[in-house]
Amino acid sequence: MLADSDTTSAPSTEIQNITLFVSSWNVGGIAPPNDLNMEDLLDTQTNLADIYVLGFQEIVPLNAGSVIVPENTTICMQWNSLIRTALNKIAANNITLQDAEEEEILKVYPLKKGSSLKFNVENSTQFECIISKQMVGIFITIWVRSPLLPYISHTSASCVGCGIFGYLGNKGSVSVRFWLHETSFCFVCSHLASGGKEGDERQRNADASQILSRTRFPCDSFQYLTRKILQHDRVIWLGDMNYRIYLPEATTRSLVNDGQWSILLQKDQLKAELREGCIFRGWQEEEIDFAPTYKYCPDSDDYYGCSQNGKRGKSRAPAWCDRIIWFGKGLKQSQYNRSEFRLSDHRPVRAIFTAEVKVPSPLY
């Protein structure tokens, strides 16, 4: 979780590493059941991260009534309650630390004068929400270890609607940013244009371009603060980006059945943008070695359209619609996989990053 200070940095600061957990899930307009166990999604059986970033799409059904109501506090509170329960349950179970772990914690969470080690260690295992923001179906919520809270500043959000009429929030993004010590973080949670027809990817590119150009964070009284997404130090984009595969549906299904991910990814629309496009030039994505996350039959492990039983509506070939990408330096990804929740027609994706943070050097 921690790193020694970087001798190449300025004398007044040192570089320390924190861990970020990032996840995205399109829940298909389905409210979470009260007994939904978020521990599986949060992957809390391994080491706890320092910061958890969870993005959701379609937390409400995308109908005419919901599109004109940007916020639904009840559904947001439901998701946050489940996340809080899962994080702090696991944290409570891991409150007993070995001496080596105590030493590591104190490197990132230095004791203030007069504080006891017991006080700081106990608080290091609790998580609090620093910001949550919803725009129609898009929702992002960020949770931080309590000892980091004094070092978090300038939290704010910016919403961009790209949906109906080019501005309603059934599609678009909710971006949040904050500073941790002297390093700025920005997370973009998006739901881009849908559609599997040839040329539909151009509208997704247009949505992404609008998000990058129209997102503006407030200055408040701090005129030196960055306002645009790519001006931040550490930038991560997550969401249902809706990019599909440049292959006929029958070919895609056959390759999916055979587990030929590498062949499919050569024709993946987002991979093409990352390689040679202009919208996501300079962005990166970890290697994908998991099955496409979309589109599943309800409460099933079968892809939509793979069964001859029942009514079949619009064709939906499997695709990696749900993605996590990042931009810039100071981020190293160590995990990229999916979770197996059957709540919706999408499977969640999740990633773990190590992020460099500039921390003021102690004055002693």
Side-chain angles (χ1 to χ4, degrees):
M1 182 175 70
L2 305 168
D4 295 331
S5 61
D6 187 342
T7 56
T8 64
S9 60
S12 60
T13 62
E14 59 182 25
I15 301 298
Q16 295 178 348
N17 289 340
I18 65 161
T19 52
L20 296 171
F21 176 96
V22 181
S23 179
S24 177
W25 188 10
N26 184 322
V27 296
I30 301 171
N34 293 331
D35 61 351
L36 184 66
N37 186 355
M38 295 293 289
E39 294 173 36
D40 292 335
L41 174 62
L42 296 171
D43 196 23
T44 49
Q45 300 307 313
T46 58
N47 293 330
L48 285 172
D50 296 299
I51 298 176
Y52 285 80
V53 180
L54 290 98
F56 299 87
Q57 303 81 45
E58 296 190 44
I59 63 166
V60 296
L62 298 184
N63 53 42
S66 65
V67 166
I68 61 174
V69 180
E71 295 187 353
N72 182 324
T73 57
T74 300
I75 195 70
C76 294
M77 289 174 62
Q78 285 181 265
W79 281 110
N80 273 342
S81 177
L82 290 166
I83 295 165
R84 179 184 295 107
T85 298
L87 284 177
N88 287 311
K89 175 183 176 182
I90 296 299
N93 292 338
N94 287 278
I95 202 166
T96 302
L97 302 171
Q98 301 299 320
D99 291 343
E101 291 174 310
E102 292 176 349
E103 182 179 351
E104 290 294 291
I105 283 177
L106 293 177
K107 290 180 182 178
V108 169
Y109 314 128
L111 289 172
K112 295 181 179 180
K113 187 175 182 180
S115 299
S116 68
L117 175 61
K118 183 175 184 294
F119 173 84
N120 282 269
V121 169
E122 286 180 350
N123 278 280
S124 72
T125 58
Q126 301 301 312
F127 290 85
E128 295 187 29
C129 181
I130 61 166
I131 188 169
S132 290
K133 184 63 178 176
Q134 177 198 9
M135 179 187 70
V136 188
I138 304 171
F139 175 56
I140 185 169
T141 179
I142 300 182
W143 297 73
V144 174
R145 285 185 187 266
S146 295
L148 283 178
L149 294 176
Y151 310 108
I152 298 282
S153 61
H154 311 313
T155 57
S156 60
S158 176
C159 300
V160 173
C162 301
I164 300 170
F165 307 124
Y167 70 89
L168 289 185
N170 58 307
K171 294 293 189 290
S173 67
V174 178
S175 302
V176 296
R177 68 94 177 272
F178 60 85
W179 262 253
L180 173 57
H181 289 290
E182 297 181 3
T183 299
S184 59
F185 289 79
C186 181
F187 299 91
V188 182
C189 179
S190 73
H191 193 183
L192 304 184
S194 61
K197 301 189 302 296
E198 183 179 353
D200 285 342
E201 73 278 5
R202 290 194 288 271
Q203 185 57 54
R204 292 187 268 278
N205 291 345
D207 287 354
S209 179
Q210 287 291 306
I211 289 167
L212 288 168
S213 64
R214 290 168 52 196
T215 298
R216 289 289 186 278
F217 294 101
C219 281
D220 296 327
S221 58
F222 301 95
Q223 298 301 316
Y224 62 90
L225 293 182
T226 54
R227 301 196 66 193
K228 302 178 71 173
I229 290 171
L230 297 182
Q231 293 173 339
H232 292 81
D233 299 316
R234 315 285 179 255
V235 184
I236 297 177
W237 190 313
L238 57 142
D240 180 358
M241 301 178 75
N242 253 322
Y243 285 98
R244 309 302 170 90
I245 296 170
Y246 288 120
L247 287 172
E249 180 180 345
T251 305
T252 298
R253 289 187 182 277
S254 176
L255 290 169
V256 168
N257 290 337
D258 294 338
Q260 298 291 334
W261 312 145
S262 60
I263 297 175
L264 286 163
L265 287 165
Q266 292 174 15
K267 298 295 185 178
D268 177 81
Q269 292 176 351
L270 179 56
K271 288 294 187 187
E273 286 299 318
L274 292 169
R275 286 193 305 268
E276 57 200 34
C278 59
I279 302 303
F280 290 109
R281 184 171 296 163
W283 291 78
Q284 301 180 64
E285 183 180 33
E286 187 58 49
E287 181 180 352
I288 292 176
D289 60 1
F290 50 86
T293 56
Y294 173 85
K295 170 181 172 77
Y296 283 90
C297 296
D299 194 26
S300 170
D301 290 328
D302 295 329
Y303 287 103
Y304 183 79
C306 63
S307 172
Q308 300 303 314
N309 298 326
K311 290 180 65 176
R312 177 172 175 178
K314 294 181 180 179
S315 178
R316 292 286 188 272
W320 286 279
C321 289
D322 310 278
R323 311 290 276 267
I324 300 171
I325 61 177
W326 80 96
F327 183 86
K329 300 179 180 179
L331 288 169
K332 182 178 181 180
Q333 190 169 349
S334 60
Q335 179 178 315
Y336 195 22
N337 58 24
R338 53 176 253 176
S339 186
E340 299 305 320
F341 284 91
R342 291 179 171 182
L343 184 68
S344 75
D345 54 355
H346 289 252
R347 295 296 187 264
V349 292
R350 57 194 180 187
I352 293 178
F353 294 88
T354 300
E356 295 181 355
V357 177
K358 292 174 64 176
V359 178
S361 300
L363 298 177
Y364 57 82

